[in-house]
Amino acid sequence: MSDSGEASATDRNTIEQWSAEGSGADRTGADRTGADRAGADRAGADRADDADAMPAASFEETVLRSLGLTADALRGLVLQAETTGLGLAETAIDAGLASEEGWTRALAARLGVRVVDHIAIGPAIADAAPSPVAAPPPVMFDRTRLVSVPGPDRPAYVFAVGGRAADPFRRVLDASPQHRSLVMLATRATIRRSLIERFQRPLLEVAIDGLALRYPALSAARPLGAALMLTLIMLALTFLTAMMLAPDAVVATVASLFLPAGLLRFAAAWPPAASNPGADEASDGAAALSLSTEWPRYAVLVPVYRETAATIEGLVIALGALDYPHHRLDIRIIAEADDEATVDLVEAAVRGTGIELIRVPPGGPRTKPKALAFALGTVVADLVTVYDAEDRPEPDQLKRAARLFAAGPPDLVALQAALVIDHHDEDRTWFVRQFEMEYAALFLGLLPHLARLSAFLPLGGSSNHFRYAPLVAAGGWDPFNVTEDADLSVRLVRLGGRIGTFDSRTREEAPVDLSNWMGQRVRWFKGWIQTLIVHAARPGLAAGEMGIRAFLVFLTLIGLGIVSALMVLPAAITIGLELLGAIPMFADRPFAEDVALAACVVSGLIGWGGSAALALAVCRHKGLGPGGAHGRRPRLADLMTMPLYWGLMSIAAWMALLELCRRPYHWRKTAHGIARRSDATAARIGDEGEAPASDFAQPLTSVAGSNR
């Protein structure tokens, strides 16, 4: 044995034998072929006919018995495991009868080896990277079951041993007792965490620069400060000139901008936007599909930053209530490594659960999409969804989305669930009520309407569900765009994908005061402007890739939305100056100009009326908040004061333009955990803080529309 830490040939042969035994015996349902599963089904049927004819307990069963599992429980696990193709240990973990950590410690005790909670990976595995700056493929973080760690004389080896591999691993270890001191056990999560730490720098580089290198024209990484500032100065001079020479034209222009949006919302309100027929029909059709043989692997990504203890606790409980097979579900909470307070809260909340924490190393820009892009580089899945820290999704949301994807066409790449506000009545300020109507009109009305028309629709920042392969092919999230959801939806469409909606709700928290609301809205407008600049820079190319109709809808929703918001404030200033007598906007004029002004006023009324009508239609059929059709109804005063809300949006839009010049990638953090949530959420989670629907996050010790 050399002093350099290299393993001898005998060591290498033994380790290779261990690896071969483990990989061959530890196949799960995800790796088994259809013939394997059919054979397992027949074996399960035979065993069901003669359930009492149990063979002598295997080593795997012996380890599970040491965890307190009874003979009856083991008999049930055997039948279930032979049907699904999982090992007994994995089946017990999936059923909540054991945890991976408990299994690993019990197995180590039986084998006489140590368990490690942190691994400093040695040079052998480090050299597996293609180059010092290249990130390994995500499959490395998913399938690696063996890593080496340096020792004083020779490397030691850390294994993650599953249920089916336990007995072969024991036999090989018994045959090579001299190597027992070189062997340690760890959970797969521990090995994955150590690999991520080892390769965090190349992973971060890919997260930051990957999209810009792959699709330079579709990234917001290019600085726009000087050019944008020049554009703003020109816009300001144009406005001042127009206000002095033709103040009525300013008001007329603003009013006309509301016409397309108003008509679109009137159309969404009639017929009533009670449902998304495309998604409902796909859901009914998918119900007949047999997904019991193998549910798709689902990755749930949840970025958090500077959160409160109550927010993290509620999040973990809500994630634990998700009804999905545990062995097909990977839940990752993503935190900035230097956000030590949040990291500590998450570590404490997820300890003993199947939820993993991913630490993102420091590096700009410090944005949610950068954190998501970093985590995506470590994930292998069929489907991916994103939740925010304050989200409370319906427990069956993942299964419903999985069925819709299974029933939908291959180019259905994303689905958007509905976001609703669930504040307690006493915490529903005017801002919250306006926000509540806005969300209801968008997620329960406008987006399903666009899906029915097979038109482009922008994704929300949460509860969007993706097919993994198209998401990766599109470059994932742009770390430089502060509304990564809108940008990604356009990019997916440009690359040939389609987006739909489905009627599953995620409860969210709204900003309760002007400061929080303004910060969030400034970030949204800044990101929408970034998205417009990126995707409208070459309109001919974008229209050709998206389709004319989809591109026009994009311009209406994003482009006109930005411009109309920017023009509300100048129009209000113009009207205010006229009322003060500074400018003669309503002086005598020719009849034709009066008719034009009246038409513009009507356009403005249509814009307001469309928003109010859609809010009323949605609330009549679906209700505001989490109560569904029996939920809250909008107040007349709130409907009448919508224009005031738009005025605040205009201020936010101008602030966003200025911030885009100065700090284009600054992420304005929205504070969570301020408002009290509704009784519906409390009832679902449980008065004692326990999740009633699932124990995934508890200690485990005992089609939709297209956009073309």
Side-chain angles (χ1 to χ4, degrees), residues 653-676:
W654 284 100
M655 291 176 62
L657 267 179
L658 294 174
E659 187 169 281
L660 188 58
C661 298
R662 297 174 53 249
R663 296 193 296 174
Y665 312 126
H666 172 63
W667 185 275
R668 286 178 175 252
K669 160 70 178 170
T670 304
H672 301 139
I674 298 177
R676 286 176 295 173

Side-chain angles (χ1 to χ4, degrees), residues 14 17-18 59 110-113 166-180 183:
T14 303
Q17 184 180 2
W18 287 338
F59 179 65
R110 290 282 171 173
L111 296 175
V113 298
D167 193 49
F169 192 85
R170 175 184 62 84
R171 290 197 301 268
V172 174
L173 195 60
D174 287 345
S176 306
Q178 71 275 18
H179 294 99
R180 194 179 299 271
V183 173

Side-chain angles (χ1 to χ4, degrees), residues 260-635:
L263 292 175
L264 183 60
R265 283 164 173 77
F266 266 122
W270 185 265
S275 64
N276 178 0
D280 291 343
E281 292 170 7
S283 181
D284 293 340
L289 295 178
S290 178
L291 289 180
S292 61
T293 55
E294 203 63 77
W295 284 89
R297 287 192 60 179
Y298 229 120
V300 177
L301 306 181
V302 189
V304 297
Y305 184 59
R306 293 182 180 175
E307 306 296 348
T308 65
T311 298
I312 295 299
E313 180 183 359
L315 169 65
V316 172
I317 292 173
L319 294 175
L322 292 173
D323 179 20
Y324 203 81
H326 298 171
H327 67 284
R328 307 298 289 169
L329 182 62
D330 293 320
I331 301 180
R332 312 282 175 84
I333 297 180
I334 314 159
E336 298 287 339
D338 56 2
D339 182 10
E340 296 179 0
T342 302
V343 167
D344 291 343
L345 289 174
V346 174
E347 284 185 328
V350 304
R351 187 172 294 118
T353 75
I355 300 175
E356 295 182 32
L357 169 66
I358 292 182
R359 297 171 178 82
V360 182
R366 189 181 291 266
T367 61
K368 170 185 171 182
K370 185 203 73 176
L372 288 171
F374 182 90
L376 187 64
T378 70
V379 165
V380 175
D382 301 302
L383 303 174
V384 179
T385 190
V386 176
Y387 293 123
D388 285 336
E390 81 278 17
D391 284 358
R392 307 292 182 262
E394 291 181 339
D396 66 345
Q397 188 172 113
L398 301 186
K399 282 187 174 180
R400 295 182 66 182
R403 290 191 177 103
L404 287 168
F405 279 119
D411 61 349
L412 177 65
V413 298
L415 287 169
Q416 176 66 59
L419 305 180
V420 297
I421 304 304
D422 71 339
H423 285 212
H424 191 278
D425 284 339
E426 295 182 5
D427 279 351
R428 293 178 65 240
T429 63
W430 180 79
F431 283 108
V432 172
R433 297 195 303 273
Q434 291 290 333
F435 201 95
E436 192 175 53
M437 288 192 299
E438 182 183 15
Y439 259 38
L442 178 64
F443 290 103
L444 299 175
L446 182 59
L447 296 188
H449 174 72
L450 293 173
R452 286 196 299 271
L453 296 178
S454 296
F456 165 80
L457 59 96
L459 293 167
S462 169
S463 298
N464 29 55
H465 301 252
F466 305 93
R467 293 190 195 270
Y468 173 80
L471 174 63
V472 172
W477 295 272
D478 185 353
F480 296 94
N481 191 308
V482 295
T483 51
E484 74 293 339
D485 44 4
D487 165 71
L488 179 56
S489 57
V490 181
R491 197 161 4 106
L492 287 170
V493 175
R494 294 187 67 168
L495 295 175
R498 302 194 299 171
I499 302 173
T501 65
F502 68 116
D503 193 8
S504 178
R505 299 191 180 197
T506 296
R507 296 165 172 85
E508 283 206 339
E509 181 181 349
V512 297
D513 53 35
L514 178 60
S515 174
N516 262 304
W517 181 91
M518 187 63 70
Q520 184 185 68
R521 196 63 55 147
V522 168
R523 173 168 57 82
W524 288 1
F525 271 113
K526 184 169 66 173
W528 292 334
I529 296 169
Q530 287 179 306
T531 301
L532 183 65
I533 291 173
V534 168
H535 294 287
R538 301 175 64 184
L541 178 61
E545 293 173 343
M546 298 178 68
I548 296 296
R549 182 172 61 172
F551 185 65
L552 290 177
V553 173
F554 161 68
L555 290 180
T556 299
L557 295 177
I558 305 296
L560 281 183
I562 294 169
V563 175
S564 60
L566 289 171
M567 293 302 294
V568 167
L569 187 59
I573 293 174
T574 301
I575 294 174
L577 291 175
E578 193 281 332
L579 293 176
L580 293 174
I583 54 176
M585 188 177 73
F586 294 112
D588 291 337
R589 68 187 71 242
F591 176 74
E593 295 184 14
D594 288 335
V595 172
L597 181 60
C600 292
V601 172
V602 171
S603 297
L605 290 175
I606 290 175
W608 170 81
S611 298
L614 181 56
L616 287 171
V618 168
C619 295
R620 182 166 58 250
H621 292 274
K622 296 245 176 183
L624 289 175
H630 304 289
R632 308 178 183 110
R633 296 294 183 266
R635 304 178 184 181

Side-chain angles (χ1 to χ4, degrees), residues 199-262:
F199 294 104
Q200 62 179 342
R201 182 51 50 187
L203 283 170
L204 182 63
E205 291 171 356
V206 171
I208 295 174
D209 301 323
L211 177 65
L213 293 174
R214 187 172 187 178
Y215 301 114
L218 300 183
S219 170
R222 293 172 297 175
L224 299 169
L228 191 58
M229 183 61 72
L230 179 61
T231 302
L232 288 179
I233 294 174
M234 294 178 63
L235 286 174
L237 292 175
T238 301
F239 164 69
L240 291 174
T241 303
M243 191 170 63
M244 297 301 297
L245 299 179
D248 53 340
V250 175
V251 177
T253 300
V254 173
S256 64
L257 292 175
F258 284 94
L259 182 60

